[in-house]
Amino acid sequence: MEYREKIKLGFTIACLTVISIFLTTQYRKHRKQKRQSQTTTCYLKTEPKPQNSFKRVLADNSYSPFKHLNNKECNGHPYKTEIEALLRSPRVEFDEGNVDLELKESYVWIETEFQLEELVGVLSKERVFAVDTEQHSLRSFLGFTALIQISTRGEDYLVDTIALHDVMGILRSIFANSAICKVFHGADNDVLWLQRDFHIYVVNLFDTAKACEVLSKPQKSLAYLLETYCGVATNKQLQREDWRQRPLPVEMVQYARTDAHFLLDIARCLASELMQQDSENSACPDDKFRFVLEASRRSNAICLQLFSKEIEAFPGESAASSIMSRNLNDQGGLSPHCQDKQFQDLVQRLCAWRDLMARMHDESLRCVLSDHAIVALAHRVPTAETEIYDTISQADLDNDSLNLQSPSSVICSHLEDFDYLFHDDMNNLEDLFLLILQKHLGPNGSCPLSVYNYALLSRTNLKLTNMLVSKKNGFARAKQAGKKASRQLFVQKFSCKAPVYHNCRIYANDGRLLCYCDRRKLEWYLHRDLAKLVEEDPPAIMLLFEPKGRPEDEGNDFYIQGKKNICVGCGEGNHYLRYRIIPSCYRMHFPEHLKSHRSHDIVLLCVDCHEVAHAAAEKYKRQIATEFGIPLFVRKVVDYTQEQDVFGSSATVEEAGVSPLQLRTAAMALLRHGPRMPSERREELMQIVSKYYGGKEISKEDLEKALLVGMSPHERRRLRKKKGLALKETNGDVFPEEDSRGDMVMCATVDVSNTYTIIGPHAYTGENCSKEGSNLMMAEDLDVSGLSLRPDSEVNGEILNADNGDINLDGTRVSESKCVSIMDAYFNESGGPSSGTVDLVHHRTEGTILPKHSSKLSLLGHGPHGKQVVDHLLKEYGEDGIRQFCQKWRQVFVEAIHPRFLPAGWDVMHSGRRDFGDFSVYNPAKRASAAATN
């Protein structure tokens, strides 16, 4: 009996096994047939998209930069002049009185060109109207505007931008009309999207989110405002729906109308609160902050943004870097594989292929191939088609929450590309992608051409990617590889190694938020029992004493906002560097109370954005130099040991002088390679150094001294460490150490054996060149043989001549019992050198002579230039001139980077004002008291 049961059970198992094998075989056969049918043609030929009906797009998927609307009168933003006028004189006008908040059933759906022209006529008669947009980005590479909602006091309009895409330019004149106010909420992206899709530029904007910032509202979301002011609740999940579908469902229409319909009333309420704040603060004569104007300025500053496409040096480079970084840091199990060279190459290949496919098919990256699938493919390296499918499906099933088709239609249509990706020569990536591009979009390509992808075939466009170059151009490819390696090394060496913003909070003893800061500042208060810990993660403390002032009282709401550790320009979060918007060569000379809020003007930038910002800053420095007539660098230096008559004429001085950079370069070359140089080149460099010394024969000691001309102490120490040169530490050295007697670095050297003079306009003169507290030089240590003073020169009302015993022109030492006062003997009243030269010392201080320089400045840096610019601004315009100077630098930064991720509260018009506490070392009263005590 038991034997029969066993036979029966075995037979049943065998049958089930056969059936299972049969079904599996049939399923795989069916899938293979389906894949074969899909790979014969691109899915786009049977799966049309709404954007395929567009006849013209302004932002295609090529690697070329975006072209903005031309305006010959203005470089950059086509309406820059109008927007800047609004920044100076904002217009904020809203109708007072109650408004019917009921959302009526009727609305106007705009889907024909005639209706759009009628809408323009209606809007041209309005003083203000509300705007909102709905975007679609899941099935598009750059995304596109699918709907625009416009609301006036009397009607709601829904503009079908898919049907009217090619004629939306009809609305440009209305949005650019500075006499009509456009109300948005959170307009940062809307402004860019309208530029990208339709060349529509917004002029005269009121952003209700910016108004919330100025009023320090607890929240600034539209949902919060709708509920607070209108009693309306919205379902923000609908924002993520597919806005391409037509007709739109009723609930989506209702949602779209709600976003714009109530904006006008919300704006009116916020404007009323802003005016009330102005009225309440009008009694304070020192309060220059105006709430209404500030909200309008912040809103209109958004309009100055310009859309730009993110173009990488190599397609998919940033995505590959991000994937590698996440897996190395967050997923310890994959770390060994991430360190494998083949794994890294495959990740880069797959990311580049995904980028190219997304551009061809106008799909988002995640719709082509997910990051998790890329990691799984690079780790497993499947060879069979079924393995590729199973690997992608399993990776998406484990990690993807979007419920997208997996594998995607792109994968199914172009599965043969993986043979190239996995098995082609790793060093031939450029030609590989050229082959794939021609295969899919060439004359017999499998994918249809469209307005989005046809520009990819342009040979010029291929060159812009820095990858699709011919085999003959091996040098260019090697050069690009060198640049890429150099960039990676720079990122590794100089990028911040830890998060910059810890977003710890400090509260006052009454519970009001004072600022966000890092952990060290919190620990400083806690260790001194000045605060108590109130929250653990993220840490927060409450002060046990009354602080001096509050951020909101001083208009500094920037400091009570959390900040993200990402590039403020492009949002890169894998690496970033600190960038000083106002260059240090200027800011270091600001009055302390104007530079204390330095964190506002220090932002995070990735390497690429940092390079762009730095280039713009250097360009603006040159513009400042031209505008103020203050050169960036000292132009020429002259050693006067042998030049007795150099003051005779400016022509002689110009002839004798040599630039600091030219002098130091020649001295360095002669010291390192002099004996091995061709005689002609050696003689040429010797003539440069000899010109500095007045034509005398040059020794090795002279070369070592010339090498140090104009160096700051830090530069000299760095040079000594790097080159290992035997730089002498004697009194005869051209530049003694910072703490040695003479303390000379900025304009000229004063020592026992050598003196020299700066040549060039706006050289440092008078007391403005002195450094408070710098070391003093005794008159007995000063050799004046090189100072050719005219006989009977008048200095400070005192007649100096060659026979009075104070100065001996034959080079003998000054009498120990007397001190020399040589103060601008040959300078005109305006402070400029009458003979084009600058003397070395300037006034008598009881037996001492104060050098005319700052020990921290170098002749080859911009320090002297920055000092003179700041002195000029303070003298001519006072502290208001410094504030306007800072605002101009912030505007230069914004125009260069077009930052999209600046911290909340950051503002071009930031005042930088600060009141110091009674015990602060920067308190002017405390510093004056300390100076009097000393």
Side-chain angles (χ1 to χ4, degrees):
M1 189 68 178
E2 292 180 1
Y3 180 71
R4 285 185 179 179
E5 290 294 332
K6 289 181 180 180
I7 294 176
K8 186 176 180 181
L9 179 61
F11 179 76
T12 304
I13 293 174
C15 292
L16 291 175
T17 302
V18 172
I19 294 173
S20 177
I21 293 174
F22 175 78
L23 292 176
T24 302
T25 303
Q26 292 296 319
Y27 174 72
R28 289 181 176 179
K29 184 178 179 180
H30 174 72
R31 285 188 60 180
K32 185 175 181 180
Q33 291 175 348
K34 181 179 180 181
R35 288 198 304 271
Q36 289 176 347
S37 63
Q38 288 178 326
T39 54
T40 56
T41 182
C42 179
Y43 74 99
L44 289 178
K45 295 181 178 180
T46 56
E47 186 180 321
K49 294 182 177 181
Q51 61 264 42
N52 290 346
S53 63
F54 301 163
K55 296 180 180 179
R56 177 174 177 263
V57 294
L58 303 175
D60 58 32
N61 296 335
S62 68
Y63 299 96
S64 352
F66 180 79
K67 295 182 179 179
H68 281 273
L69 193 66
N70 292 329
N71 187 341
K72 296 181 180 180
E73 298 179 358
C74 180
N75 294 325
H77 199 292
Y79 295 96
K80 180 180 179 181
T81 304
E82 292 85 345
I83 296 172
E84 288 183 342
L86 288 170
L87 289 174
R88 293 189 294 268
S89 302
R91 304 173 187 174
V92 183
E93 298 179 4
F94 294 102
D95 296 331
E96 296 295 333
N98 296 325
V99 179
D100 185 7
L101 297 180
E102 182 181 356
L103 189 65
K104 301 177 182 178
E105 294 184 2
S106 62
Y107 64 92
V108 180
W109 180 266
I110 308 293
E111 59 181 351
T112 67
E113 185 175 351
F114 177 74
Q115 289 177 309
L116 193 62
E117 292 173 346
E118 283 188 331
L119 176 61
V120 170
V122 172
L123 297 179
S124 63
K125 300 176 184 177
E126 299 288 335
R127 287 196 308 166
V128 58
F129 60 84
V131 187
D132 190 30
T133 67
E134 302 298 340
Q135 300 290 313
H136 178 81
S137 58
L138 184 61
R139 300 297 304 276
S140 177
F141 184 75
L142 292 176
F144 61 89
T145 305
L147 187 71
I148 293 181
Q149 306 97 279
I150 298 177
S151 291
T152 64
R153 286 293 177 186
E155 194 63 82
D156 296 332
Y157 301 90
L158 301 183
V159 182
D160 186 353
T161 54
I162 293 178
L164 297 172
H165 182 275
D166 298 326
V167 296
M168 285 297 296
I170 294 173
L171 291 177
R172 287 175 194 159
S173 60
I174 290 297
F175 279 84
N177 189 339
S178 60
I180 304 175
C181 179
K182 277 69 70 174
V183 178
F184 284 78
H185 179 84
D188 301 76
N189 289 326
D190 297 279
V191 166
L192 298 177
W193 291 334
L194 290 173
Q195 295 175 12
R196 174 198 66 193
D197 294 335
F198 316 118
H199 272 168
I200 290 178
Y201 298 84
V202 181
V203 180
N204 192 357
L205 168 67
F206 185 83
D207 191 332
T208 51
K210 295 298 180 184
C212 289
E213 288 181 4
V214 175
L215 291 169
S216 298
K217 294 287 185 182
Q219 298 182 42
K220 60 178 184 179
S221 66
L222 182 56
Y224 165 78
L225 294 177
L226 286 169
E227 187 172 353
T228 302
Y229 293 98
C230 308
V232 175
T234 59
N235 179 13
K236 281 300 174 181
Q237 295 296 325
L238 291 173
Q239 189 176 23
R240 302 178 182 178
E241 292 295 323
D242 187 354
W243 289 92
R244 301 175 302 167
Q245 54 185 308
R246 296 292 185 269
L248 285 172
V250 176
E251 61 273 13
M252 293 179 68
V253 171
Q254 192 79 352
Y255 169 84
R257 291 183 60 198
T258 301
D259 275 3
H261 177 83
F262 297 100
L263 263 185
L264 289 178
D265 191 65
I266 291 173
R268 180 185 62 81
C269 294
L270 292 174
S272 178
E273 292 183 27
L274 291 167
M275 293 176 185
Q276 184 178 355
Q277 290 284 347
D278 282 339
S279 300
E280 293 175 355
N281 288 273
S282 61
C284 304
D286 296 334
D287 186 8
K288 298 180 181 180
F289 187 82
R290 294 293 180 265
F291 288 82
V292 174
L293 299 184
E294 180 63 19
S296 182
R297 286 193 191 100
R298 294 187 187 186
S299 299
N300 282 298
I302 298 174
C303 300
L304 286 173
Q305 297 181 100
L306 285 174
F307 172 78
S308 62
K309 293 196 291 186
E310 297 179 5
I311 301 175
E312 301 171 300
F314 194 91
E317 183 178 47
S318 62
S321 175
S322 177
I323 290 173
M324 293 303 306
S325 177
R326 287 200 306 270
N327 283 277
L328 281 170
N329 298 328
D330 301 334
Q331 300 180 20
L334 289 177
S335 292
H337 302 291
C338 291
Q339 296 171 359
D340 180 67
K341 184 63 168 63
Q342 183 183 9
F343 178 87
Q344 295 176 3
D345 289 339
L346 284 175
V347 168
Q348 183 180 8
R349 281 179 162 232
L350 289 167
C351 286
W353 178 84
R354 179 180 66 172
D355 182 88
L356 194 61
M357 290 296 106
R359 293 174 187 272
M360 281 187 195
H361 301 86
D362 195 34
E363 297 279 6
S364 64
L365 295 178
R366 55 183 174 172
C367 270
V368 176
L369 187 63
S370 69
D371 289 353
H372 303 292
I374 287 177
V375 172
L377 288 170
H379 170 47
R380 187 176 177 181
V381 194
T383 55
E385 292 184 1
T386 55
E387 291 181 356
I388 295 174
Y389 272 83
D390 293 340
T391 301
I392 296 174
S393 300
Q394 189 60 45
D396 290 339
L397 181 64
D398 294 340
N399 300 283
D400 196 7
S401 59
L402 292 176
N403 296 322
L404 298 175
Q405 175 185 343
S406 180
S408 66
S409 298
V410 177
I411 301 293
C412 296
S413 296
H414 304 294
L415 194 64
E416 69 278 6
D417 288 354
F418 286 90
D419 291 334
Y420 298 107
L421 295 173
F422 291 148
H423 305 301
D424 194 76
D425 181 12
M426 288 292 178
N427 297 321
N428 201 22
L429 194 57
E430 294 87 355
D431 292 333
L432 168 63
F433 283 102
L434 180 59
L435 173 66
I436 292 177
L437 184 63
Q438 292 292 342
K439 176 182 177 182
H440 296 314
L441 290 182
N444 301 315
S446 61
C447 302
L449 285 172
S450 71
V451 291
Y452 286 98
N453 64 23
Y454 77 95
L456 288 170
L457 289 173
S458 167
R459 189 66 186 172
T460 303
N461 189 254
L462 298 183
K463 290 179 181 179
L464 288 174
T465 67
N466 288 326
M467 72 159 191
L468 301 176
V469 294
S470 64
K471 291 183 179 180
K472 296 180 181 180
N473 198 3
F475 175 76
R477 195 177 302 140
K479 185 178 180 181
Q480 179 61 31
K483 288 183 178 180
K484 182 178 178 182
S486 176
R487 179 184 182 277
Q488 291 175 344
L489 181 62
F490 185 90
V491 169
Q492 181 181 359
K493 185 174 182 180
F494 294 105
S495 62
C496 298
K497 303 301 185 294
V500 175
Y501 301 122
H502 297 164
N503 288 322
C504 303
R505 288 159 293 165
I506 298 180
Y507 292 95
N509 49 16
D510 59 358
R512 294 172 68 183
L513 179 63
L514 292 177
C515 67
Y516 281 76
C517 65
D518 59 14
R519 292 178 181 271
R520 289 182 299 175
K521 189 167 186 176
L522 259 63
E523 293 170 356
W524 189 92
Y525 283 107
L526 293 173
H527 289 338
R528 290 162 177 77
D529 295 326
L530 298 174
K532 63 179 180 179
L533 190 66
V534 294
E535 291 185 33
E536 293 284 349
D537 188 23
I541 62 172
M542 179 177 289
L543 300 181
L544 300 178
F545 60 91
E546 177 60 29
K548 177 70 173 180
R550 306 297 174 96
E552 62 270 23
D553 298 336
E554 300 173 1
N556 294 323
D557 55 340
F558 169 82
Y559 301 100
I560 55 175
Q561 306 289 339
K563 301 171 183 64
K564 296 181 179 180
N565 290 290
I566 60 175
C567 170
V568 301
C570 64
E572 170 66 52
N574 296 313
H575 73 271
Y576 41 79
L577 303 87
R578 291 180 178 88
Y579 177 76
R580 290 166 175 79
I581 294 175
I582 301 169
S584 298
C585 67
Y586 302 110
R587 195 174 189 92
M588 65 185 292
H589 302 295
F590 287 2
E592 191 60 46
H593 60 285
L594 292 182
K595 67 180 179 181
S596 59
H597 282 76
R598 59 185 180 274
S599 64
H600 179 273
D601 293 317
I602 297 179
V603 296
L604 302 183
L605 290 179
C606 66
V607 169
D608 298 324
C609 292
H610 194 288
E611 184 179 354
V612 173
H614 177 72
E618 291 301 306
K619 181 179 179 181
Y620 189 57
K621 279 184 184 178
R622 293 192 293 270
Q623 182 179 332
I624 291 174
T626 303
E627 180 181 346
F628 286 76
I630 301 175
L632 286 176
F633 297 97
V634 173
R635 292 182 179 176
K636 291 190 177 182
V637 290
V638 175
D639 179 275
Y640 280 116
T641 305
Q642 303 296 328
E643 288 282 355
Q644 297 294 334
D645 298 323
V646 81
F647 280 90
S649 70
S650 60
T652 304
V653 171
E654 289 293 332
E655 219 170 83
V658 59
S659 73
L661 180 60
Q662 189 181 23
L663 175 65
R664 283 163 53 171
T665 302
M668 174 65 77
L670 288 169
L671 283 171
R672 296 183 63 182
H673 310 292
R676 299 187 298 275
M677 282 184 176
S679 58
E680 297 82 1
R681 178 57 178 166
R682 183 171 62 253
E683 183 62 27
E684 180 184 349
L685 295 178
M686 290 294 285
Q687 288 296 327
I688 293 174
V689 182
S690 178
K691 190 176 181 180
Y692 166 73
Y693 284 110
K696 76 169 188 175
E697 187 176 348
I698 304 302
S699 65
K700 182 178 179 181
E701 183 180 3
D702 294 328
L703 292 176
E704 291 176 348
K705 292 176 181 179
L707 183 63
L708 300 177
V709 169
M711 279 191 180
S712 68
H714 171 69
E715 290 171 326
R716 294 173 60 231
R717 287 191 294 268
R718 185 173 61 184
L719 176 68
R720 186 179 298 110
K721 180 179 179 181
K722 181 178 180 180
K723 302 299 181 183
L725 296 177
L727 305 179
K728 296 186 176 182
E729 298 294 336
T730 65
N731 285 337
D733 200 290
V734 175
F735 277 91
E737 285 289 353
E738 185 176 359
D739 295 328
S740 67
R741 211 164 41 177
D743 191 24
M744 191 69 205
V745 171
M746 195 204 76
C747 288
T749 278
V750 180
D751 67 74
V752 177
S753 62
N754 289 299
T755 59
Y756 72 90
T757 295
I758 307 294
I759 299 174
H762 294 272
Y764 274 76
T765 62
E767 296 183 78
N768 288 339
C769 300
S770 64
K771 176 178 182 288
E772 183 181 356
S774 58
N775 295 337
L776 301 178
M777 179 185 298
M778 299 300 295
E780 62 178 341
D781 294 322
L782 174 65
D783 188 301
V784 294
S785 61
L787 297 180
S788 180
L789 293 177
R790 294 172 183 165
D792 301 326
S793 296
E794 181 175 350
V795 181
N796 288 350
E798 180 181 359
I799 302 297
L800 301 177
N801 58 64
D803 300 324
N804 65 4
D806 291 331
I807 302 178
N808 299 324
L809 297 182
D810 59 357
T812 59
R813 183 183 298 179
V814 177
S815 171
E816 294 181 6
S817 62
K818 295 185 178 181
C819 301
V820 179
S821 175
I822 309 173
M823 185 175 180
D824 301 332
Y826 296 94
F827 284 76
N828 54 32
E829 295 180 358
S830 64
S834 58
S835 63
T837 63
V838 178
D839 288 333
L840 303 177
V841 290
H842 62 86
H843 66 277
R844 184 196 325 239
T845 311
E846 299 184 1
T848 63
I849 294 177
L850 190 64
K852 187 186 302 182
H853 61 268
S854 168
S855 63
K856 293 183 179 180
L857 301 183
S858 165
L859 293 179
L860 297 186
H862 296 171
H865 161 82
K867 176 74 162 59
Q868 288 180 272
V869 169
V870 173
D871 288 345
H872 173 78
L873 290 172
L874 288 172
K875 181 179 179 181
E876 296 293 329
Y877 309 105
E879 293 184 357
D880 286 340
I882 298 295
R883 293 189 181 95
Q884 293 177 9
F885 184 69
C886 294
Q887 292 167 5
K888 289 180 181 178
W889 271 106
R890 296 182 192 120
Q891 192 60 50
V892 168
F893 170 75
V894 169
E895 291 176 356
I897 299 298
H898 309 301
R900 295 177 292 163
F901 301 94
L902 280 168
W906 191 95
D907 185 28
V908 170
M909 309 302 292
H910 180 71
S911 65
R913 183 184 63 183
R914 180 178 182 181
D915 295 330
F916 294 102
D918 296 334
F919 301 99
S920 172
V921 295
Y922 298 118
N923 189 309
K926 186 175 180 65
R927 298 186 71 176
S929 176
T933 304
N934 295 334

